Amino acid sequence: MIKTSRREWLRGAAYGLGGYAISGALPGGGWFGVPDADAASFVDPLAPKAPHFEPKVKSVIWLHMDGAPSTLDLFDYKPELVRLAGQEVPESFLKGIKTSTQGGVGKLFASNRTWKQYGQSGAWFSDWVPNIAQHADKLTFIKSSVTVGATHDISILKLNTGDLSPGRPSLGAWVTYALGSANPDLPPYVVLYSGKREPRAGSVNWSSGFLPAVYQGTAFRPGAQPILHQAPPDLIGLQQQRESLDLLKKLNDLRAEAHPEDTELEARTRSYDLAYRMEATAPEAVDLSKETDATKALYGLNDDASKDYGTALLRARRLVERGVRFIQVVSGPIEGSGVGDDANWDAHRQLEKNHGMHTRAVDKPIGGLLTDLAERGLLDQTLVIWTSEFGRTSYGQSGDGRDHNPWGYTQWLAGGGLKHGFTYGQTDEIGLKTVENPVDTYDIHATVLQLLGLDHLKTIYKRAGRAERPTVVYGKVVQDVLA
């Protein structure tokens, strides 16, 4: 059974992870408008590619808070909301907002939070995020975020791919396509998650879409073996595998000499070699046994509440050190944090209980990640993004929760190329709707690409005669947040 699974994985890798020999020769495989590669000439699409201009960062750690936290209760202090709590929402705040598909407009709701200003920037943080607050002067807030749609799966898809329907590449796939790999022994785009199960909607959110499959994200599972069926078969050592692969390569090379126009054999050989290399490098990359006790404590691994998410973030730091370009970390559900047996941040009810548990899970690890990256000299070359599919409403729902809010919420960034301790945009006095400088998902994508040295208007893939780009026909770089 194990051998069959490995064989299936390797077969798939010939057309997927390791199948870049084939994909590089397919129509659309040209880089930035370069004509398509001739089928007889092999081009490794994961080879490092030059950016359009000097990049500010080398890697991205994308922190997706699945389920959409209420940034009103974390980063966006609204005294007027506190003052008006318990009253009906004034009509002036509801202009331009369609709520017919939502759970109805309840009375204004203020959670039982204590707020404090931190750092020279004087940024406000609630008592739910004291560890992130210690980095106030490293953060760049976007408090005028907007999106389309108010259902999780649709808005998560838009957050990752820029579209409301499956089929387009995720941002990480575009980055991999445009820049290639900085470490041939590891996937350039890795997805990490906490909790017991893969994130909702799964691989569609780290898909390569219409790009060749080699550019899709690789999900690393929790545990010692991050990739399914990657461990070598019982009683077969790495040296034996290496010798078998060398023999296979010789046989394939003899075949290839007779059929130079056929790149499939070369693709298969390279995929087998990649799988062999990853058997050693992938487990080592996520092995925390050599990390110090102090580092583990910094990420909250000594606390059951934060251990799972802290493990994911410590692995993310190790992947950055090893040249992985795009690491997508998805927060997982927490048992007992919702009305059901477990729940993500989606607090339609019991917001105090839900967010209390989720902030205990993520606050210390995120604070630890920022500290660790800075101390190791990695923060200036890394972009950290804290984001979610949308925010939550100022008015209550079910008495003690909040509904979905795509009209105005907060995201933040940290790392190289940014104005630190800076806030861009704002919502109205009750935190319901953006009132200046709206920033859509497309704008975030364009800005991330800019920091990686890529012009989103020039990052092009030819598809059926159409020049596709990451931001479709939208998007602008948020220049005001750049240093």
Side-chain angles (χ1 to χ4, degrees), residues 9 16-18 46 170 172-173 176 186-193 198 203 205-208 213-221 226-228 230 274 278 282 286 319 324 326-329:
W9 185 88
L17 254 180
L46 288 183
S170 61
T176 306
L186 286 172
Y189 175 17
V190 171
V191 180
L192 303 171
Y193 56 93
E198 193 175 88
S203 60
N205 286 296
W206 53 86
S207 168
S208 59
V214 66
Y215 303 117
Q216 68 190 0
T218 301
F220 274 21
R221 301 179 305 154
I227 300 177
L228 198 62
Q230 188 191 35
L274 173 63
M278 286 176 59
V286 297
L319 291 171
V324 175
F326 201 97
I327 301 123
Q328 188 170 334
V329 187

Side-chain angles (χ1 to χ4, degrees), residues 49-59 179 325 380-382 416-417 448-455:
K49 302 296 186 296
H52 296 124
F53 42 81
E54 187 69 24
K56 299 295 184 181
V57 297
K58 298 178 180 179
S59 298
L179 294 176
R325 294 200 188 277
D380 287 342
Q381 63 188 50
T382 306
V448 170
L449 294 169
Q450 179 83 8
L451 289 166
L452 286 165
L454 298 169
D455 185 336

Side-chain angles (χ1 to χ4, degrees), residues 72-73 78-87 107-113 115 351-352 393-396 399-402:
L72 270 173
D73 299 289
K78 295 293 182 181
E80 187 69 1
L81 176 61
V82 176
R83 188 182 73 83
L84 296 175
Q87 300 182 31
K107 295 181 179 180
L108 291 172
F109 171 60
S111 62
N112 185 28
R113 303 273 52 80
W115 292 84
L351 182 137
E352 293 278 354
T393 57
S394 314
Y395 51 81
D400 56 1
R402 297 191 189 280

Side-chain angles (χ1 to χ4, degrees), residues 412-470:
W412 59 255
L413 306 88
L418 297 165
K419 293 179 182 176
H420 301 142
F422 180 76
T423 295
Y424 181 79
Q426 65 176 337
T427 52
D428 56 36
E429 292 179 322
I430 62 171
L432 182 61
K433 185 173 62 174
T434 291
V435 293
E436 67 175 31
N437 301 324
V439 175
D440 200 303
T441 301
Y442 304 110
D443 306 323
I444 291 289
H445 288 192
T447 305
V448 170
L449 294 169
Q450 179 83 8
L451 289 166
L452 286 165
L454 298 169
D455 185 336
H456 73 107
L457 299 177
K458 296 179 180 178
T459 303
I460 292 171
Y461 179 82
K462 292 182 179 179
R463 178 194 179 208
R466 175 186 173 91
E468 299 279 2
R469 68 187 199 200

Side-chain angles (χ1 to χ4, degrees), residues 42 171 208 212 216-217 247 289 301 315 381:
F42 180 85
L171 178 62
S208 59
Q216 68 190 0
L247 174 59
S289 63
L301 270 62
R315 287 180 163 189
Q381 63 188 50

